[in-house]
């Protein structure tokens, strides 16, 4: 008879004991900074807290306006408030649900279709907003990295900006000439059909129809440039919220450039969806970055906790309330106002 008893290091009580021991060790090591952080959070400067809240709300507003500019440039005009509501709800889905980006993208797509956009225009808007947002963060990190001399030279900035511009222009060119996508997309679809044991031509007609819709997408250069500026403003306003949180808890011993570098490190960590909202991962990256920028550990912890209360707690909570309202209105029969 085979012994199925797990080795001692894999038994439940042992695992729990090891986890508790690690947590106690971290608590002992970080006890003094933790007490310092708690003390600073008890008496924040509320005018700076209010300013941080305004900056975060403005950051969400610029992201919504960025998507609106892209959608408007493609021929679909929607009220700003609807885009803002969509931004809050989609952000909450993305930040809190397992596999949140998938739910967020689907939610965005469905509501843009309800706004009157075709499936091609909605897909284009979602894809390009992601490209612009990522490119803007890269450029901001490069600029402030040069200002702190943590990167090589202005050649580095030129490389980053050139790469971001190349990606954006490539996406724009593909939207203007979607027929370039037909052949590679057909080959890819045929391979997928082979894996799924379906006919090789399955789905090709829908693919051609989607490409035909893409031919009608023409984003005006002015709207594209405006959306790019809003993408940069979105990140800078969020970083401004973090800076105001630092001042609110008395942690003002850090310059703008080191703070933005720490912020970019935290947002880069957030792009790896290990846990919902990047809890623990983003916070750790931000704290390490702020400490490297000159803050004490206690001050960095206090500032990050306050920042996350605003950017995660308040914004995500608001987003879920907006999602509930949008869901109730979507379910309400036409002509009958939702309660």
């Amino acid at each position: 008879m085979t012994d199925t008893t797990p080795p001692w290091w894999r038994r439940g009580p042992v695992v729990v004991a090891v986890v508790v021991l690690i947590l106690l060790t971290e608590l002992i090591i970080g006890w003094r900074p933790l007490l310092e952080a708690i003390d600073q959070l008890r008496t924040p400067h509320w005018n700076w807290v209010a300013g941080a809240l305004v900056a975060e709300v403005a950051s969400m507003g610029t992201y919504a306006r960025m998507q609106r500019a892209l959608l408007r440039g493609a021929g679909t005009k929607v009220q700003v408030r609807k885009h803002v509501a969509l931004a809050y709800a989609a952000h909450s889905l993305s930040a809190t649900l397992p596999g949140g980006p998938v739910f967020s993208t689907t939610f965005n797509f469905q509501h843009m279709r309800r706004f009157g956009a075709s499936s091609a225009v909605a897909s284009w808007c979602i894809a390009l907003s992601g490209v612009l947002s990522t490119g803007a963060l890269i450029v901001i990190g490069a600029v402030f990295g040069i200002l702190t001399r943590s990167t090589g030279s202005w050649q580095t900035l030129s490389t980053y900006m050139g790469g971001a511009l190349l990606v954006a222009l490539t996406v724009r060119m593909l939207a203007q000439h979607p027929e370039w996508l037909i052949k590679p997309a057909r080959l890819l679809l045929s391979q997928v059909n082979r894996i799924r044991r379906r006919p090789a031509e399955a789905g090709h007609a829908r693919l051609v129809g989607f490409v035909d819709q893409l031919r009608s997408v023409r984003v005006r250069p002015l709207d594209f440039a405006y959306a790019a500026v809003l993408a940069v403003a979105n990140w800078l306003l969020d970083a401004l919220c973090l800076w105001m949180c630092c001042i609110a808890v008395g942690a003002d011993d850090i310059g703008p450039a080191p703070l933005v570098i720490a912020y970019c490190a935290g947002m880069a960590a957030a792009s790896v969806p290990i846990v919902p909202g990047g809890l623990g991962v983003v916070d750790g990256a931000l704290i390490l970055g702020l400490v490297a920028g000159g803050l004490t550990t206690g001050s960095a912890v206090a500032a990050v906790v306050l920042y996350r209360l605003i950017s995660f707690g308040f914004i995500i909570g608001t987003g879920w309330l907006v999602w509930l309202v949008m869901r109730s209105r979507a379910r309400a029969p036409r002509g009958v106002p939702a309660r």
Side-chain angles (χ1 to χ4, degrees):
M1 185 175 180
T2 305
D3 185 11
T4 58
T5 303
W8 65 270
W9 64 83
R10 293 178 57 187
R11 294 175 186 173
V14 176
V15 174
V16 172
V18 171
V19 172
V20 170
L21 181 61
I22 293 173
L23 292 175
L24 286 175
T25 303
E26 291 180 349
L27 187 61
I28 292 171
I29 294 174
W31 182 251
R32 184 171 296 177
L34 182 61
L35 287 179
E36 181 184 344
I38 293 173
D39 185 59
Q40 289 176 296
L41 283 169
R42 285 176 180 171
T43 55
H45 301 288
W46 290 107
N47 54 335
W48 287 103
V49 174
L53 185 60
V54 171
E56 192 62 29
V57 171
S59 174
M60 291 295 298
T62 55
Y63 185 84
R65 284 169 173 80
M66 177 189 69
Q67 286 200 326
R68 180 174 182 262
L70 293 174
L71 208 59
R72 181 184 60 195
T76 303
K77 295 183 179 180
V78 184
Q79 293 176 339
V80 174
R81 62 180 180 83
K82 291 185 177 181
H83 270 285
V84 171
L86 179 59
Y88 272 87
H91 178 65
S92 295
L93 291 174
S94 178
T96 55
L97 293 179
V102 176
F103 289 101
S104 175
T105 300
T106 303
F107 185 79
N108 255 319
F109 179 81
Q110 291 174 343
H111 279 270
M112 286 185 184
R113 294 283 286 128
R114 288 174 184 167
F115 292 163
S118 67
S119 58
V121 168
S123 300
W124 157 257
C125 179
I126 293 170
L128 189 54
S129 62
V131 170
L132 285 178
S133 186
T134 303
L137 183 62
I138 292 173
V139 170
I140 290 170
V143 169
F144 282 89
I146 289 172
L147 292 176
T148 57
R149 297 183 181 180
S150 61
T151 56
S153 63
W154 288 101
Q155 293 179 353
T156 306
L157 175 61
S158 301
T159 302
Y160 281 130
M161 292 186 68
L165 182 62
L166 179 62
V167 171
L169 290 177
T170 300
V171 174
R172 192 168 187 272
M173 287 295 294
L174 287 175
Q176 291 178 339
H177 303 280
E179 62 275 7
W180 296 349
L181 296 171
I182 292 181
K183 188 174 181 179
R186 276 182 169 175
L187 290 174
L188 178 61
L189 185 57
S190 297
Q191 293 298 323
V192 172
N193 287 335
R194 181 180 300 176
I195 295 173
R196 298 176 63 188
R197 297 182 179 180
R198 300 181 63 184
E201 299 296 320
H204 282 212
R206 292 182 62 185
L207 173 64
V208 173
F210 182 80
V211 171
D212 286 338
Q213 290 184 34
L214 273 178
R215 289 175 179 169
S216 64
V217 179
R218 293 290 184 272
V219 178
R220 293 175 297 180
L222 185 61
D223 289 309
F224 182 82
Y226 180 53
V229 171
L230 289 173
V232 174
N234 167 240
W235 292 115
L236 290 180
L237 285 168
D238 195 25
L240 178 63
C241 173
L242 176 61
W243 177 70
M244 288 184 171
C245 288
C246 289
I247 297 179
V249 297
D252 51 0
D253 299 328
I254 185 171
L259 182 137
V260 173
I261 291 297
Y263 170 80
C264 289
M267 295 306 102
S271 65
V272 183
I274 300 174
V275 292
L279 291 175
V281 180
V282 175
D283 310 278
L286 286 173
I287 290 170
L288 289 174
L290 293 176
V291 171
L295 296 185
T296 64
T297 304
S299 296
V301 170
V304 170
V305 168
L306 180 58
Y307 166 73
R308 294 288 272 173
L309 284 174
I310 294 173
S311 65
F312 188 82
F314 175 77
I315 296 297
I316 297 300
T318 303
W320 276 112
L321 291 176
V322 172
W323 178 82
L324 289 173
V325 172
M326 294 177 71
R327 186 184 180 189
S328 65
R329 288 181 176 176
R331 287 185 171 183
R334 292 187 177 180
V336 180
R339 294 180 180 180

